[in-house]
Amino acid sequence: GMPIQAEAVPRKLADPFDFGGGHIDPDRAVDPGLVYDVDAREYNKFFNCTLGYVDGCESYYLNLNLPSIAVPNLKDHVMLRRTVTNVGPVEAIYHLVVEAPAGIDVSVEPSVINFTQSGSKMATFMVTFTTRQRVQGGYTFGSLTWSNGSTHSVRIPIAVRTVIQDFVADTA
């Protein structure tokens, strides 16, 4: 019944960086409904970007199709994309529930994904983050959850940090 404490110095309340995106339910993991698929080529490009071997990586960091979203330097607004693959029933409709990080407006297009027998098993959605405050801040947290209203609920965590100037470091 008590808040989770992080094992840090000094002691602090734990946040999603400390305890992660949640826990796994092995029974439900067998039938996830949607997955955020990524292949070895994308990881290879990401690796080469982090080592500085490839130019033009600014947007690639945000658009790597991970089942989480981190925006470390939000000055005004940013748009990124994610793609989900339907591995559940062929006919499925998923509705989005957004839990926006504090001080951030989040919009997602589309907010409903409809998988049909004759359609694609993949759907791409665009996420736009807009800061409501011009402050140098710490990370705030939220989530995006795709739900089919019955058996499948697929949640990814969001972490966003607003910044005014690039050279001001977050020491919190």
Side-chain angles (χ1 to χ4, degrees), residues 127-148:
V127 184
T128 303
F129 296 97
T130 306
T131 183
R132 292 190 307 234
Q133 308 167 25
R134 296 286 301 157
V135 296
Q136 190 76 20
Y139 279 92
T140 58
F141 304 95
S143 64
L144 298 179
T145 304
W146 291 102
S147 176
N148 70 353

Side-chain angles (χ1 to χ4, degrees), residues 60-79:
Y60 197 78
Y61 294 126
L62 295 174
N63 290 309
L64 184 62
N65 201 44
L66 297 174
S68 64
I69 297 174
V71 181
N73 298 306
L74 180 63
K75 289 184 182 175
D76 183 31
H77 69 276
V78 68
M79 182 182 294

Side-chain angles (χ1 to χ4, degrees), residues 95-163:
H95 295 270
L96 181 67
V97 176
V98 176
E99 182 184 323
I104 308 295
D105 288 328
V106 179
S107 64
V108 180
E109 286 296 325
S111 61
V112 175
I113 298 175
N114 189 3
F115 294 102
T116 62
Q117 184 85 24
S118 60
S120 175
K121 293 182 69 154
M122 299 172 74
T124 298
F125 59 94
M126 303 301 292
V127 184
T128 303
F129 296 97
T130 306
T131 183
R132 292 190 307 234
Q133 308 167 25
R134 296 286 301 157
V135 296
Q136 190 76 20
Y139 279 92
T140 58
F141 304 95
S143 64
L144 298 179
T145 304
W146 291 102
S147 176
N148 70 353
S150 59
T151 56
H152 297 113
S153 181
V154 181
R155 178 187 174 277
I156 64 170
I158 298 170
V160 179
R161 182 179 69 150
T162 58
V163 296

